Amino acid sequence: MRVLGIETSCDETGIAIYDSEQGLLADALHSQIALHLEYGGVVPELASRDHVRKTLPLIKQVLKQAGLDKSDIDGVAYTAGPGLIGALLVGASIGRSLAWTWAVPAVAVHHMEGHLLAPMLEDEVPEFPFIALLVSGGHTMLVQVDGVGQYSLLGDTVDDAAGEAFDKTAKLLGLGYPGGPAISKLAEQGDPGRFRFPRPMTNRPGLDFSFSGLKTFAVNTLTDNDDDPQTKADIAHAFEEAVVETMAIKCRRALEQTGLKRLVLAGGVSANRRLRQRLAQLANERGAQLYYPRPEFCTDNGAMIAYAGCLRLEGGQTEPLVIQARARWPLETLTST
Ligand code: KG4
Ligand code: ZN
């Protein structure tokens, strides 16, 4: 089965074609970073309008790239939530309508399920069950994954998502948007010994996260010290280290609690090099295996949506003749096909 995937939940238009036998056939991405840069964050209305401009040309581009005609597509998958409602509606309207025109089934994909399954696009595929740490701009979740659609939420953030904390702290340090890669780069010049940030919610049991306090800690540290470039680099280092170490502590707990030996890291923040290194060390210590997607499939992309959609279409799931999207959509409400 050959599936066209459409991702428009936030600030990236991602389009791809996945073939259940041949794998990924084509993949294209248009990032809106330049568009939102001057505002220091995503402007929802601008995001929607840009998706309107880019989605169809990118669909044509991937068909050409794969050497396929529209009649070669057996199903259309699109992100239907969670995300920015206007942006989601662009992908859902185009995806559902194209499927109707082409007389093929359509399927609405959950954005975080896309992230969760993205490591399956790599050569070494994690077997079920596993623990997934899903860390993006809007979510921070620890999930036990027993199969496609079989998700038990073990931990969630009580305030900011991990990516959001990176973005807000980056803004505070005068770095660009998105903040994650900018902080990570600056942190490399930081002095590891200068500041130590707290590891929130690690001194009590449980697998929930809280990141908003780290941002406040960064503000206070900046105010209490000289506002020079080295101080900023030292803060970036201490902040990144605190986020990474907190995640490692919670992942260790999740592995201990469930007795599982496979850990999957996915979502935009999983592109973070320090986080990958730290979790690889943890997995090594525990005799566990760590899986993560290549960097371009950590952040938003069409390939993960085409792949997740393909699994669901093959399982018989289809979307009725309606165009619907949901800004909020709890992952645990998904079911297996
Ligand atoms: O998954 P994603 O592309 O979009 C959402 O679903 O939200 O994640 C975007 C988030 C942003 O907050 C961005 O700052 C963060 O992922 N991010 C990173 C890195 N690359 C992207 N955070 C830390 N380190 C990175 N290298
Ligand atoms: Zn995402």
Side-chain angles (χ1 to χ4, degrees):
M1 174 175 250
R2 233 174 256 141
V3 177
L4 173 74
I6 303 174
E7 157 60 39
T8 64
S9 69
C10 190
D11 58 348
E12 255 121 16
T13 317
I15 310 290
I17 300 170
Y18 183 83
D19 183 307
S20 50
E21 261 142 52
Q22 298 171 59
L24 192 64
L25 299 182
D27 169 39
L29 188 84
H30 168 72
S31 165
Q32 300 179 354
I33 287 180
L35 181 69
H36 302 291
L37 195 60
E38 63 176 297
Y39 306 98
V42 181
V43 183
E45 184 59 24
L46 293 183
S48 312
R49 288 170 190 227
D50 202 54
H51 288 306
V52 170
R53 278 191 291 270
K54 295 295 178 340
T55 305
L56 282 174
L58 279 184
I59 291 174
K60 286 185 185 151
Q61 186 181 318
V62 291
L63 281 169
K64 198 168 167 207
Q65 199 182 321
L68 297 174
D69 181 71
K70 53 188 188 294
S71 59
D72 297 316
I73 299 295
D74 305 309
V76 180
Y78 49 87
T79 305
L84 301 173
I85 193 68
L88 288 165
L89 278 168
V90 176
S93 307
I94 294 175
R96 189 66 199 86
S97 307
L98 278 180
W100 179 74
T101 318
W102 296 345
V104 296
V107 66
V109 174
H110 190 291
H111 182 75
M112 296 313 289
E113 181 172 73
H115 277 305
L116 177 63
L117 299 174
M120 311 270 186
L121 290 162
E122 304 305 333
D123 291 340
E124 245 191 282
V125 174
E127 274 175 39
F128 299 114
F130 55 76
I131 295 294
L133 174 66
L134 294 181
V135 277
S136 69
H139 295 86
T140 306
M141 294 188 271
L142 264 168
V143 185
Q144 178 170 332
V145 180
D146 292 315
V148 175
Q150 295 172 257
Y151 309 129
S152 317
L153 188 64
L154 305 175
D156 203 346
T157 177
V158 297
D159 42 53
D160 292 352
E164 191 181 356
F166 268 99
D167 295 340
K168 287 179 176 173
T169 305
K171 208 169 184 179
L172 180 91
L173 296 176
L175 305 173
Y177 147 88
I183 290 219
S184 201
K185 192 156 173 254
L186 186 62
E188 283 171 22
Q189 282 135 45
D191 170 1
R194 179 141 174 233
F195 302 121
R196 190 182 187 279
F197 279 34
R199 277 64 171 139
M201 290 180 78
T202 54
N203 57 0
R204 62 183 105 159
L207 295 171
D208 284 339
F209 300 90
S210 165
F211 292 113
S212 70
L214 287 179
K215 178 191 61 200
T216 313
F217 207 88
V219 178
N220 295 341
T221 310
L222 196 62
T223 321
D224 294 346
N225 290 278
D226 287 340
D227 183 4
D228 66 352
Q230 189 55 47
T231 296
K232 289 185 176 175
D234 297 343
I235 289 175
H237 190 284
F239 170 84
E240 183 177 56
E241 205 51 32
V243 173
V244 166
E245 195 50 37
T246 302
M247 286 180 183
I249 292 168
K250 301 283 170 160
C251 284
R252 177 163 39 79
R253 273 187 204 169
L255 291 172
E256 264 166 21
Q257 194 175 305
T258 58
L260 292 176
K261 293 278 181 201
R262 284 178 290 271
L263 178 63
V264 161
L265 172 62
V269 182
S270 67
N272 186 277
R273 210 158 45 88
R274 274 293 300 138
L275 182 62
R276 290 169 171 227
Q277 284 169 350
R278 182 65 187 86
L279 293 187
Q281 188 191 338
L282 170 74
N284 198 25
E285 283 160 15
R286 296 197 52 82
Q289 194 72 32
L290 176 69
Y291 302 86
Y292 46 72
R294 70 193 83 164
E296 62 267 38
F297 292 164
C298 288
T299 43
D300 292 350
N301 63 86
M304 67 183 193
I305 302 304
Y307 177 71
C310 184
L311 291 186
R312 290 204 165 265
L313 284 168
E314 282 187 323
Q317 187 180 325
T318 55
E319 190 70 1
L321 267 182
V322 286
I323 294 166
Q324 13 182 30
R326 311 187 206 182
R328 290 178 188 277
W329 185 2
L331 182 72
E332 323 82 83
T333 61
L334 296 186
T335 52
S336 48
T337 53

